Amino acid sequence: MVVGSAWVGTACAASLDASLLPRIQGATFEVVAAKPDKDPLTYEKPLPLELLDYQDRTDKYFSIGTAFAIGKNRYVTAGHVLMAGLDSLWGQPSLRDAKGNVYAIDKIEKFDLRRDLVVFSLVKDPAPEPLEINTSPVMNQEVYAVGNALGTGVVIRDGLYTSDTPEQEQGQWKWMRFSAAASPGNSGGPLLDKDGKVIGVVLMKSANENLNYALQMKEVLDAPEKNAVIDSRLSYRLDIFDTTLSNSFKGTFPLPQTLPDFFASYTKLFNAYVETQLKDILAKDADRVFPRGEGSDRLLYNEVWSNMLPRMIVRSNTGEWFLQSNTTKRQSLSNNGYLDVSMAQSKFVMHLRRPDNTPVANFYTDPVVLGDLLAKSGLFARTVGPEHVRITSLGKPISDTVHVDGWKRRWQVRTWTLPYDDTKIIVYCLPLPDGYAMSMVFASAGGAYDSAADLRAITDFMTVEYDGSLAQWAEFLKNTSLLPDAIKDVHLDVTYQKSLSLRTPRFNVAFTPDLLGIEPDSQLSMPLGMLPDHGKVIWGPVGLHYNPRRSESNYLVIYRNVKPPASLDESYASYWDKLINRRHPYESQAYAADGNTKIAAPKLAGDVGKDTVVYTAFFTMGGTQPQDKMKTQLDLLLKGLQVNEH
């Protein structure tokens, strides 16, 4: 039977006295949220809204649940129905009656998150005749679930009150189990006995069988009046390791409160809980969290920091930390721009190469430019009926801040919205010479703080190579407000076709076109990683790759190597021995590799016996080249390379 339209009788509902139906109809309401008035998004074409059902395209509200009256200006719904309005892009929940009248919620009178109940009043009470209450229902009797089934209006469906089952954590109360059909929109609606009296609040649909859950009305009536009660067991984890915390989110705050004040009080408690969980999970086995502990050494003493796509540092189940590798998909943009996209656990990780026709001044400072480039890559689409309509612009973000991670890198944090889906897009953007390294997540509006906190924590476990043309590097280094401390200490002096000089706190390199060409489009890649440094770990340049043009086979590579600890296996000691004793391939002898000719040698600051840091210099030329030519080029490279650390 549909409340608010023709009441179509059924055999099941016929046993419910027809004289009760107007009272049930008047006391039962949809819980609704207003559809956004404005859409910040731009689409590739007009949305084909005609493909939607009439009700979907004409209704100005989203239907999210059911509520009912139990007294004078006293209404009940499920706690999770009310909480759907927390930070929602759809606005705060309201009640709608069968005639389409909408009533704003006034004050929250009772709230128990664990029992999933809320009692509240309305700003303007329509004063329906409330439902009578039965606190002693009889098992195995016929019952009626009344609710907003799948957003199509309030319906009544019959079944049996079959059993009670203890609540899952401590058995402090019993859930009612019933066989009357229930859909997601039924949440918060009344469960009635054969006399039309409310015996429970419909809460959950069973996942595996048609036995659904309700909270007995006695629990609603006995709930405290003056305090909101929060006691919910939640699990918490980060994508970097398999550690999981299972704790209870607990707290109270005074009632009654207006709905905005209630949400503010809840948000304050929940956000503090998230921060506590984040702190605790990183403190758990803190001596084994990267870069601490022997499980970090294999990563710290390996040449692993040359990666164009951002990669997450994660811990295996054996306790070893490594760089996670993922399948990458490239989305091409105009004017040599592109977006490389990969998934790292539940997060997107991306590298955006700035299109050549996008001015640097706008690219780094105007988030609309970034959002439009992400949209043009085809990442976002809105489903309307059977069609997927591409979003071509995200508009202005609702927030644009900066986060400085533990390595002093400055991430731009932008949040955009998809109002039609009540979703936020949270993006952490690390400026690079050629564009951005990014991590991104889609989060429900109400869960955005939790998701953003995860992304914030994971920035300390992200690594990416700084890459770009010499022209891009020159523009990038001018934007000092974007630069991490380690890059601010890098000085690049270039005179095209004449000289290049790169100075860092740990090494310098300089050369002329006698070694390699120096042009605006010559490519300079600087791996930046976590550097063991005399008992501590810092973040900074670990070398460079230089190529006159990406298509050329001639290039140079410089890389920092640190004496490995004795705890690592023999392969590390053997590699170190090769370096300091100049054994192959570090003996300045040309050799063939992959159709090219290579030559390499170590470079130290002082004595072999005292140094714990050795830089390796590689020079590569295409095809087969003679030893004397390769040695001449290597000598030029070594002459211009200065090591400033021991």
Side-chain angles (χ1 to χ4, degrees), residues 63-95:
S63 192
I64 58 177
T66 308
F68 57 96
I70 61 168
K72 183 177 180 181
N73 202 9
R74 200 163 178 82
Y75 297 83
V76 174
T77 189
H80 73 268
V81 170
L82 181 78
M83 297 309 291
L86 181 69
D87 291 330
S88 175
L89 303 174
W90 298 345
Q92 296 179 355
S94 303
L95 301 194

Side-chain angles (χ1 to χ4, degrees), residues 271-547:
N271 291 357
Y273 172 78
V274 168
E275 294 298 333
T276 298
Q277 295 302 290
L278 183 57
K279 180 180 178 181
D280 288 351
I281 202 168
L282 292 172
K284 191 176 179 65
D285 299 327
D287 58 346
R288 296 175 55 238
V289 175
F290 185 85
R292 296 178 292 276
E294 291 186 358
S296 301
D297 287 346
R298 189 175 297 276
L299 181 56
L300 290 172
Y301 292 88
N302 233 333
E303 296 183 14
V304 295
W305 305 114
S306 299
N307 52 288
M308 293 292 296
L309 186 74
R311 293 172 72 181
M312 190 183 298
I313 302 171
V314 298
R315 188 173 67 195
S316 70
N317 54 15
T318 64
E320 293 285 337
W321 291 88
F322 65 97
L323 287 186
Q324 188 175 50
S325 181
N326 303 94
T327 302
T328 303
K329 182 177 181 180
R330 175 162 293 185
Q331 307 286 347
S332 296
L333 298 169
S334 61
N335 293 281
N336 296 316
Y338 59 80
L339 182 71
D340 285 338
V341 183
S342 182
M343 289 295 297
Q345 306 290 3
S346 61
K347 314 292 188 296
F348 289 87
V349 291
M350 301 179 290
H351 173 227
L352 173 64
R353 200 273 186 188
R354 174 176 61 88
D356 293 337
N357 64 340
T358 302
V360 171
N362 294 340
F363 180 76
Y364 291 119
T365 59
D366 186 351
V368 173
V369 172
L370 173 61
D372 287 355
L373 287 172
L374 292 176
K376 288 175 182 176
S377 73
L379 271 181
F380 315 113
R382 178 173 176 176
T383 300
V384 181
E387 290 197 25
H388 301 285
V389 182
R390 279 200 318 115
I391 297 169
T392 57
S393 175
L394 297 176
K396 292 183 178 180
I398 60 171
S399 66
D400 183 10
T401 60
V402 173
H403 166 66
V404 181
D405 69 18
W407 307 105
K408 306 302 180 185
R409 297 176 295 192
R410 301 178 63 81
W411 298 76
Q412 297 171 333
V413 187
R414 278 82 183 258
T415 301
W416 286 273
T417 62
L418 302 176
Y420 67 89
D421 199 35
D422 202 22
T423 294
K424 293 182 179 179
I425 304 170
I426 306 168
V427 188
Y428 272 66
C429 318
L430 182 65
L432 303 176
D434 74 337
Y436 276 117
M438 293 177 286
S439 59
M440 181 182 76
V441 68
F442 292 86
S444 65
Y449 187 89
D450 192 359
S451 296
D454 284 359
L455 283 181
R456 168 169 35 96
I458 288 171
T459 58
D460 288 346
F461 300 87
M462 297 290 291
T463 177
V464 67
E465 185 172 3
Y466 280 55
D467 177 81
S469 68
L470 292 181
Q472 289 172 327
W473 270 98
E475 291 181 301
F476 175 69
L477 292 173
K478 293 176 184 177
N479 294 278
T480 55
S481 63
L482 305 176
L483 305 180
D485 293 350
I487 297 293
K488 289 179 180 178
D489 292 333
V490 171
H491 301 279
L492 178 64
D493 296 318
V494 177
T495 301
Y496 297 129
Q497 302 176 2
K498 290 186 177 181
S499 64
L500 181 151
S501 172
L502 179 74
R503 302 188 306 279
T504 81
R506 297 178 177 275
F507 70 93
N508 304 336
V509 65
F511 57 86
T512 68
D514 291 338
L515 182 66
L516 288 170
I518 304 170
E519 304 291 345
D521 60 348
S522 296
Q523 297 295 312
L524 174 64
S525 300
M526 187 180 299
L528 284 100
M530 289 64 179
L531 286 65
D533 183 51
H534 298 91
K536 59 183 179 180
V537 177
I538 63 174
W539 181 80
V542 296
L544 67 84
H545 301 177
Y546 180 83
N547 193 323

